[in-house]
Amino acid sequence: MIEALAGPGAGEVDDLTASDLLALARERKAVEEQAAADLLEVAARWADLHPPESIHDAASFTVPGCEHEEPIAGEGAPLVAEFCVAELGTVLGISTTAAKKLIGHALELRHRLPRLWEQVHAGQVPAWRARAVAEATIHAAPSLTREAAGFVDSQVAAVAGRIGQAQLDRLLAETIRRYDLATADPTKDPEEGWQHVDPRHVTVDKDDVHYAGTLHLEADLDLADALDLDRAVAHHAALQKALGSTESLDVRRAKALGDLARTQTALDLHAQDDSAQNGSGFEARGAHPQEPRDEAPRTARTSTTDEASTSPTEDDKPDLPAAREVVIHAHFDATLSGEQTVFGPTGRMENGQRLILLDQIRSWCADSRTKVTIKPVIDLNTQLTAQGYDIPDRIREQVILRDRTCVFPRCTRPARGCDIDHIVEYDHADTEGRPQPGPTQTDNLACLCRFHHRLKTHSPWNYRMTEPGVFEWTSPHGHHYRRDHTGTTALDPPEPPGIPRPRRR
């Protein structure tokens, strides 16, 4: 295309004029949007090939954990055999969850938002914008009926999908009121009672760990609770500054919230009065300067003198639980410098699968009343074996540390929340006189999240371990994938097998 735009005799991209580049950009964008629309069509047809009937036709009886039909779009959209989403996701290079969302959006658009569906395929609305509307109608609370979804469809299609998130939220609220989908709250304004949904929540995004080792926290609180929390955080931030902290107010407020989570022990606010009486402490009063002093004020020690002369005795210390428990699984590169072993400056933090600086680990462990657990080093290359089916803790821990996540292609579920699967099925029958085909040993065990464990057990998906921590998966249609700690790699694509599949009736 670039050569065609450049014209005869021009062999370099640099020869393209500004008009040529703009034309190329517009054409490529149109191709991209058409491909996204086609992908929605493919996803919907994939669902058509895997209706609930395909489960019942393939199985004469059901067992716990087997495949079932699942609604992945709103009321009125067809159900889908739940295991079908995994193979589409691996082919597209996305997770099973992302594939499920893609199929759900396609079905929502085709069956509940048909006007928008037509506009997508006519090139009038980009697929990403239509998918945003589908996501909103699928997860609206309360759920939208098919008639209510049709109203949203008519309103959005009337403006060719040109609607922002705030407008879409107002449209959903209007739809809920128009179709009486929410029960009015008599304690609220009669004009707004239909919209009452308790918004209170506290959400910690554990999946998105910042490179600095922070997580995003979002909350909606009761007004009185929020004001109390703000006063407590402001008070603790002021205490930190009085104790000599030079950090910014935002950082001190963030640390104060952590102190509150650890029962206010990080600054030793429960220290005895003798620290203040010796001139080595800072008096901790209420949130306001004019607040009267308690009869037995709590102090926060700032002394740098001998600890034995200022610290309370063990008998005087309050019986408080450990403020923080730090369990760190770190892998380091080590080199020898003479007779000394020198470790690298970074390690891998298990929670969040992120690299972390050793200095940051030291700062976490240095907080007062922090419980530090040091576990023995586990050699991930050692072959461990156990008799019987049950997996001992030492083998379970070794497999978790080796695999890090669910080992299914594209899955990132942390290994510590996964099942430990026997790759070759354990034979529970009497194996006396013959070897156990699926022994409980390191090279026959892998971490699988519950969904992919069920998928492997009750579908044609299968896998094998080619070397420690490296797995080769084969899908029902013959696609092969290599999975290791670096991610998923698609191997040579297979020839189309031409397997007939039951269609939706």
Side-chain angles (χ1 to χ4, degrees):
M1 177 63 195
I2 290 178
E3 289 77 2
L5 285 175
E12 299 294 335
V13 177
D14 293 340
D15 294 335
L16 293 176
T17 66
S19 298
D20 291 337
L21 290 173
L22 291 175
L24 179 60
R26 182 170 58 185
E27 180 178 336
R28 288 293 182 263
K29 182 62 176 177
V31 170
E32 178 186 353
E33 291 182 354
Q34 183 59 49
D38 293 343
L39 186 57
L40 284 173
E41 178 69 28
V42 169
R45 292 190 179 188
W46 182 255
D48 293 340
L49 291 176
H50 299 85
E53 291 82 3
S54 65
I55 304 173
H56 308 317
D57 291 345
S60 56
F61 62 92
T62 60
V63 295
C66 67
E67 185 178 17
H68 58 75
E69 57 193 42
E70 185 171 17
I72 59 177
E75 175 190 315
L79 303 179
V80 177
E82 64 164 337
F83 288 166
C84 78
V85 301
E87 188 159 17
L88 182 63
T90 53
V91 167
L92 294 176
I94 59 179
S95 68
T96 300
T97 301
K100 180 179 178 180
K101 182 174 291 189
L102 171 64
I103 298 173
H105 291 168
L107 294 178
E108 180 78 0
L109 287 165
R110 190 178 68 177
H111 293 272
R112 293 182 11 120
L113 306 171
R115 297 179 182 86
L116 198 54
W117 172 262
E118 292 297 331
Q119 289 181 337
V120 168
H121 290 285
Q124 299 171 357
V125 177
W128 67 266
R129 192 180 294 275
R131 290 188 62 181
V133 178
E135 177 73 8
T137 56
I138 290 174
H139 298 291
S143 300
L144 301 183
T145 62
R146 190 166 187 171
E147 184 182 9
F151 174 75
V152 174
D153 183 35
S154 65
Q155 299 300 306
V156 175
V159 293
R162 292 187 293 271
I163 183 171
Q165 187 59 49
Q167 294 171 305
L168 182 58
D169 290 341
R170 289 194 293 270
L171 175 59
L172 290 174
E174 169 64 22
T175 304
I176 291 171
R177 184 181 68 171
R178 179 183 292 263
Y179 290 92
D180 295 326
L181 300 178
T183 303
D185 184 355
T187 65
K188 301 296 179 182
D189 185 332
E191 293 298 323
E192 300 294 332
W194 57 271
Q195 200 176 16
H196 173 69
V197 176
D198 193 339
R200 289 177 295 179
H201 74 101
V202 176
T203 303
V204 179
D205 189 356
K206 299 179 182 178
D207 296 329
D208 187 12
V209 182
H210 193 268
Y211 72 91
T214 60
L215 291 174
H216 179 72
L217 182 148
E218 181 179 346
D220 279 313
L221 306 177
D222 180 82
L223 176 60
D225 293 339
L227 294 176
D228 288 343
L229 178 63
D230 181 63
R231 282 192 292 267
V233 168
H235 177 58
H236 277 251
L239 281 177
Q240 293 176 51
K241 185 175 182 180
L243 291 170
S245 175
T246 59
E247 295 172 313
S248 68
L249 176 61
D250 286 340
V251 172
R252 285 185 281 115
R253 285 177 64 88
K255 293 179 66 174
L257 198 59
D259 297 340
L260 292 172
R262 293 184 294 276
T263 60
Q264 303 182 11
T265 59
L267 293 177
D268 290 332
L269 298 180
H270 292 279
Q272 301 300 314
D273 294 350
D274 55 356
S275 298
Q277 294 171 357
N278 293 334
S280 62
F282 175 84
E283 183 179 349
R285 298 189 182 184
H288 302 284
Q290 68 271 20
E291 184 175 333
R293 182 184 304 179
D294 297 336
E295 294 181 1
R298 294 177 293 180
T299 60
R301 290 180 286 111
T302 60
S303 174
T304 56
T305 59
D306 188 347
E307 182 177 352
S309 65
T310 59
S311 300
T313 65
E314 291 296 327
D315 294 337
D316 295 332
K317 291 182 179 179
D319 185 17
L320 295 173
R324 171 189 285 160
E325 181 174 358
V326 179
V327 180
I328 298 171
H329 300 289
H331 300 267
F332 302 102
D333 292 328
T335 57
L336 290 176
S337 177
E339 297 182 354
Q340 184 178 8
T341 301
V342 179
F343 292 94
T346 61
R348 178 179 62 84
M349 183 174 65
E350 180 178 306
N351 186 10
Q353 302 298 315
R354 297 293 191 275
L355 293 177
I356 188 168
L357 296 175
L358 293 182
D359 289 342
Q360 191 166 27
I361 296 176
R362 292 191 187 100
S363 69
W364 290 349
C365 297
D367 282 350
S368 64
R369 298 195 59 78
T370 295
K371 178 182 178 182
V372 181
T373 302
I374 302 177
K375 294 189 174 183
V377 174
I378 298 177
D379 187 351
L380 302 184
N381 297 317
T382 300
Q383 174 84 320
L384 300 180
T385 305
Q387 299 297 321
Y389 176 76
D390 294 335
I391 303 170
D393 290 343
R394 61 190 179 93
I395 298 181
R396 180 181 298 274
E397 188 71 12
Q398 184 194 44
V399 174
I400 288 173
L401 295 179
R402 181 199 67 196
D403 293 344
R404 305 185 186 181
T405 66
C406 169
V407 301
F408 187 83
R410 314 291 179 186
C411 187
T412 58
R413 185 70 59 87
R416 200 161 293 279
C418 292
D419 299 335
I420 305 297
D421 175 52
H422 285 74
I423 300 173
V424 177
E425 184 179 1
Y426 184 89
D427 189 354
H428 291 274
D430 186 6
T431 59
E432 184 176 356
R434 62 183 177 87
Q436 169 61 248
T440 303
Q441 59 188 35
T442 304
D443 62 358
N444 191 47
L445 298 173
C447 294
L448 289 178
C449 67
R450 181 59 54 86
F451 176 83
H452 291 131
H453 192 178
R454 293 173 49 232
L455 179 75
K456 175 259 181 180
T457 304
H458 301 288
S459 80
W461 278 94
N462 64 83
Y463 71 122
R464 62 190 181 93
M465 187 187 299
T466 58
E467 56 184 281
V470 180
F471 306 89
E472 185 176 310
W473 284 84
T474 303
S475 77
H477 286 79
H479 293 267
H480 298 279
Y481 304 91
R482 185 178 188 269
R483 174 64 192 259
D484 57 24
H485 71 278
T486 64
T488 302
T489 303
L491 303 180
D492 294 337
E495 293 295 328
I499 301 175
R501 300 289 295 179
R503 293 183 177 273
R504 190 176 303 278
R505 300 189 179 108

